[in-house]
Amino acid sequence: MLQTDLTKLLGIRVPIVQGGMQWVGLPKLVAAVSNAGGVITALTQPSPTALRHAIRETRALTDKPFGVNITLLPTINPPDYEGYYRAAVEEGVMIFETAGSNPGPLIKFFKSRGCLVIHKCTTIRHAESAEKMGVDILSIDGFECAGYPGEDDIGGLVLLARAAKELKIPYIASGGIADGQGLAAALALGAAGVNMGTRFMCTVESPIHENIKQKIVQSTERDTVHIFRTLHNTTRVFKNKVSMEVVAIEKRPGGAKFEDVRDLVSGQRGRLVYENGDPDFGIWSAGITVGLIDDIPTCQELLERMEREAEGIIGRMSSLVTPRTKL
Ligand code: FMN
């Protein structure tokens, strides 16, 4: 078994957690992952009351720990953040994944209630300031990740090595991990485990349309693209007709304003991709691990396989070391 700070702090068996995923982090998936550590995505629920129901539904499906993700990002219609996080705490959730800008007040609130906070960030300077705010675990999202990689374009290899040098609290590797090799590499880079998004989208329990899962299986690592680069809100999404149109609008002379792409990137349109199974219907988040994913396992199969693969790799690596001979 792989024992790390993450497995000890969360009381989980495999050092793998599922990050917040808009429209995807729903009770069935969260419960299926929660042998490791699943996260309900708060803002996928239409209201704080709906979040309460999702928490109860997840609890009915698993007796294992799970958390709630609160993502503080610019959205077309700002949600009732306070309503969501208070509802989750009142429902007895003790683990939170926070992400996005200005997390200070949110982290302070969770810590005042004795909750464990995993904060996701894409730079070492943000990780250090979250560390000072008292978070328990940092989730370091490299350039490879689905969703928001930040604007610095630093890949996981360097970012995690920097984390190993600079951070005092446990951190997990996020972005670009989809198999046991990625897990073993993350542990080698000092991480206490991994956070995955894209890989969990493509599991039996993931609530998205079968066509989209098949699309991920058929894709290569060249099938994602960054949108909103010019708006300084870079987002990695699947490469399709809509995302390429957004990129083309951004490249027009004089650039683009958000209003120019608002309809194309609407969250509701993205949500319908998962419902109607048309991968070209809207934008949807996906990381470059789409190039590593070639099956649709259950979450349990996936977690067991990754654990086995990582253990095998770590065993083989240690057999590379032989006693030194004198020069
Ligand atoms: N991260 C958040 O913090 N909030 C979100 O709402 C969110 N939505 C996501 C939706 C999808 C479909 C995916 C694939 C990822 C999303 N993410 C979100 C990012 C994941 O939590 C995670 O950090 C990322 O997927 C890790 O990279 P990977 O996809 O290479 O594993």
Side-chain angles (χ1 to χ4, degrees):
M1 271 173 66
L2 298 167
Q3 262 210 348
T4 71
D5 284 343
L6 184 71
T7 58
K8 286 182 224 153
L9 277 167
L10 296 191
I12 57 179
R13 189 180 131 72
V14 191
I16 301 175
V17 295
Q18 169 240 309
M21 283 190 279
Q22 183 73 327
W23 314 131
V24 182
L26 291 168
K28 198 172 148 208
L29 176 63
V30 175
V33 180
S34 69
N35 262 342
V39 168
I40 296 179
T41 311
L43 302 185
T44 292
Q45 300 301 326
S47 65
T49 308
L51 176 61
R52 285 181 191 274
H53 292 305
I55 291 167
R56 290 177 200 170
E57 192 183 331
T58 311
R59 210 165 263 141
L61 295 170
T62 180
D63 56 1
K64 297 288 191 311
F66 63 88
V68 167
N69 164 285
I70 307 272
T71 306
L72 301 161
L73 287 172
T75 53
I76 296 173
N77 304 308
D80 171 15
Y81 284 119
E82 190 173 342
Y84 281 100
Y85 64 70
R86 283 191 184 276
V89 169
E90 281 164 22
E91 287 298 316
V93 173
M94 293 303 288
I95 302 168
F96 286 88
E97 182 194 50
T98 54
S101 40
N102 235 338
L106 194 59
I107 291 169
K108 206 168 156 193
F109 175 79
F110 290 140
K111 290 313 300 173
S112 74
R113 303 298 161 107
C115 301
L116 185 141
V117 180
I118 303 174
H119 183 65
K120 189 153 53 178
C121 33
T122 58
T123 68
I124 298 300
R125 64 181 192 287
H126 287 138
E128 285 175 327
S129 76
E131 191 174 53
K132 285 193 193 110
M133 289 173 201
V135 305
D136 302 275
I137 300 173
L138 289 153
S139 184
I140 307 292
D141 236 351
F143 182 67
E144 301 87 345
C145 73
Y148 297 93
E151 307 302 321
D152 287 355
D153 298 356
I154 312 295
L157 207 54
V158 168
L159 209 51
L160 291 167
R162 290 271 297 121
K165 280 189 182 167
E166 307 298 341
L167 303 180
K168 292 169 197 72
I169 61 170
Y171 56 92
I172 57 178
S174 181
I177 296 146
D179 53 27
Q181 277 181 310
L183 172 58
L187 296 175
L189 284 160
V194 300
N195 175 59
M196 303 193 301
T198 308
R199 177 61 271 200
F200 281 122
M201 281 176 93
C202 204
T203 55
V204 170
E205 295 90 346
S206 160
I208 67 174
H209 198 285
E210 195 60 25
N211 287 358
I212 305 300
K213 296 182 192 176
Q214 291 299 343
K215 190 76 188 168
I216 293 175
V217 168
Q218 290 150 16
S219 299
T220 76
E221 65 278 15
R222 301 182 66 236
D223 285 322
T224 72
V225 67
H226 281 143
I227 58 168
F228 300 157
R229 268 256 104 138
T230 60
L231 302 176
H232 308 293
N233 190 22
T234 301
T235 309
R236 191 186 287 284
V237 297
F238 194 76
K239 196 189 273 182
N240 64 9
K241 285 187 192 141
V242 184
S243 54
M244 292 315 282
E245 196 178 334
V246 173
V247 172
I249 293 171
E250 287 190 74
K251 280 188 182 153
R252 277 185 200 157
K257 292 191 280 306
F258 184 70
E259 286 65 42
D260 302 331
V261 295
R262 178 191 288 262
D263 290 339
L264 287 170
V265 303
S266 114
Q268 290 310 319
R269 227 174 125 164
R271 177 184 201 163
L272 284 173
V273 167
Y274 301 137
E275 280 176 31
N276 66 21
D278 175 0
D280 283 312
F281 197 80
I283 57 156
W284 49 285
S285 297
I288 53 178
T289 61
V290 292
L292 295 176
I293 296 171
D294 49 21
D295 65 354
I296 308 171
T298 64
C299 290
Q300 188 178 345
E301 282 161 1
L302 175 66
L303 294 169
E304 285 177 1
R305 181 170 76 199
M306 285 183 64
E307 183 184 31
R308 230 180 14 254
E309 284 171 354
E311 284 168 353
I313 290 162
I314 293 164
R316 279 202 302 283
M317 300 275 282
S318 51
S319 72
L320 295 177
V321 182
T322 56
R324 280 171 190 241
T325 48
K326 279 198 179 145
L327 289 175

